[in-house]
Amino acid sequence: MSQIPKLILANKQPIKGVLIDISGTIYVGNEAIPGAIEACRELFKYNDLKVLFLTNTSKVSSETLLNQLRGMGFDESCIPHRDSIVTSISATRLFLLQNGLRPYCLVEDDLIKTDLMGLDMEDPNCVLVGLAPSKFDYRRLNDAFRLLNKLKEERQEELLPTVNTSQSVTELPNLIAIHRALYYRDSDHNLSLGPGGFVSLLEQTAGITAHVVGKPSRAFYDAAVSSLGVSPCNCVMIGDDVVGDVKGALESGLGAAILVKTGKYRNGDELVHTTEGVTPTLTLPSITEAVESIIESIKDEHS
């Protein structure tokens, strides 16, 4: 067995926080990735280490996700409680409320009845897109396209009086993506389309740019790190998505990002040309090796 490389954070900062992606990193489909339960449990043995699970999952509600994880064997020693998980859905709900946005939803009904319950959806003034296999049909996508066109025309009319003046106008986004992952590892262990392609379709046809709430958004990472109470430079991200997890984390100032070869990982993902110049700090077979590398580094810090 080859020796696992020791993790070294940027500027050799000590490790104080760990962010862990969920889908594809600790489970695929309905099964825990081999060794993932034990790896998560091992991290929580270090009282001074802050651990948070960070996910773009937008197909099921937060409560459903936690129940699914419990069913796979992730008990309280691995994922202590609901607040151990930060989702892009909760961040999206907050964004909509803070900005008075009423979404036309391309999301699954489970989310509307739970995480998004109570949001005003009458007379929508934006389109919200998540991972919604049952909603991505022609009629709904066309309704979303027509609404975006209508909103765009209304905004242009509102802006006409301000043309050639010094008045500044703050524009709220018409198209909001919970995230825009292109694909994910499905329950049959094959890759399936994520919401990213549908977000791009609406962007291109309506001639607008989506506001992305979840990974790789810097605001999402900033909020997660802030909730840990540590500096970004002392945090490491573990995930299977070279863009959402690795590129997003490193561009948000985290000290390191480990890419694992599970979930949506494809051969060559760690190469520079696929990451727009951002390379993983380490690329390892799974979360088991990632956690081993982190723990060895922590032990060295205290030796």
Side-chain angles (χ1 to χ4, degrees), residues 83-105:
D83 291 340
S84 302
I85 302 174
V86 174
T87 71
S88 53
I89 302 167
S90 58
T92 299
R93 177 187 175 84
L94 181 61
F95 179 81
L96 293 170
L97 287 171
Q98 288 177 335
N99 292 285
L101 292 170
R102 306 180 301 277
Y104 173 82
C105 293

Side-chain angles (χ1 to χ4, degrees), residues 170-302:
T170 301
E171 293 188 13
L172 292 173
N174 289 340
L175 178 59
I176 299 154
I178 297 177
H179 66 95
R180 61 183 312 159
L182 293 175
Y183 50 86
Y184 67 102
R185 187 71 61 180
D186 214 332
S187 57
D188 61 359
H189 295 268
N190 288 313
L191 293 178
S192 289
L193 286 171
F198 299 97
V199 174
S200 295
L201 180 152
L202 292 171
E203 284 181 320
Q204 185 173 355
T205 54
I208 60 176
T209 300
H211 173 79
V212 182
V213 179
K215 297 179 293 183
S217 161
R218 177 159 193 154
F220 191 50
Y221 275 103
D222 286 348
V225 172
S226 177
S227 70
L228 287 181
V230 301
S231 298
C233 63
N234 297 117
C235 285
V236 54
M237 177 70 192
I238 306 172
D240 66 323
D241 186 332
V242 74
V243 175
D245 298 327
V246 173
K247 188 171 186 288
L250 293 178
E251 290 188 344
S252 298
L254 270 69
I258 300 175
L259 179 66
V260 292
K261 296 183 177 181
T262 54
K264 71 193 303 179
Y265 172 84
R266 296 194 292 186
N267 288 334
D269 275 354
E270 66 272 29
L271 301 179
V272 173
H273 74 275
T274 65
T275 60
E276 301 176 28
V278 178
T279 56
T281 310
L282 293 176
T283 301
L284 298 171
S286 74
I287 188 173
T288 299
E289 291 79 10
V291 168
E292 288 180 15
S293 178
I294 291 170
I295 289 174
E296 285 303 311
S297 297
I298 293 173
K299 288 179 178 177
D300 282 356
E301 291 169 8
H302 293 88

Side-chain angles (χ1 to χ4, degrees), residues 104-106 127-130 132-133 135-149 175 195 197-202 205-206:
Y104 173 82
C105 293
L106 290 174
V127 171
L128 175 65
V129 183
K135 306 295 183 181
F136 290 145
D137 56 58
Y138 180 83
R139 180 183 66 79
R140 290 186 177 91
L141 286 167
N142 196 47
D143 286 346
F145 163 69
R146 289 178 173 181
L147 175 60
L148 290 171
N149 268 330
L175 178 59
F198 299 97
V199 174
S200 295
L201 180 152
L202 292 171
T205 54

Side-chain angles (χ1 to χ4, degrees), residues 23-87:
S23 177
T25 300
I26 67 171
Y27 83 94
V28 170
N30 299 312
E31 300 175 351
I33 287 173
I37 293 173
E38 295 78 8
C40 293
R41 183 176 292 130
E42 193 65 25
L43 285 176
F44 280 100
K45 292 179 180 179
Y46 291 80
N47 295 328
D48 294 334
L49 186 65
K50 307 295 185 181
V51 181
L52 194 65
F53 295 87
L54 196 64
T55 179
N56 269 345
T57 297
S58 60
K59 189 177 179 181
V60 297
S61 69
S62 304
E63 191 65 30
T64 298
L65 174 61
L66 181 58
N67 289 336
Q68 289 176 347
L69 290 168
R70 292 283 188 253
M72 296 176 206
F74 292 94
D75 59 20
E76 288 80 2
S77 67
C78 309
I79 304 176
H81 41 68
R82 169 64 188 83
D83 291 340
S84 302
I85 302 174
V86 174
T87 71

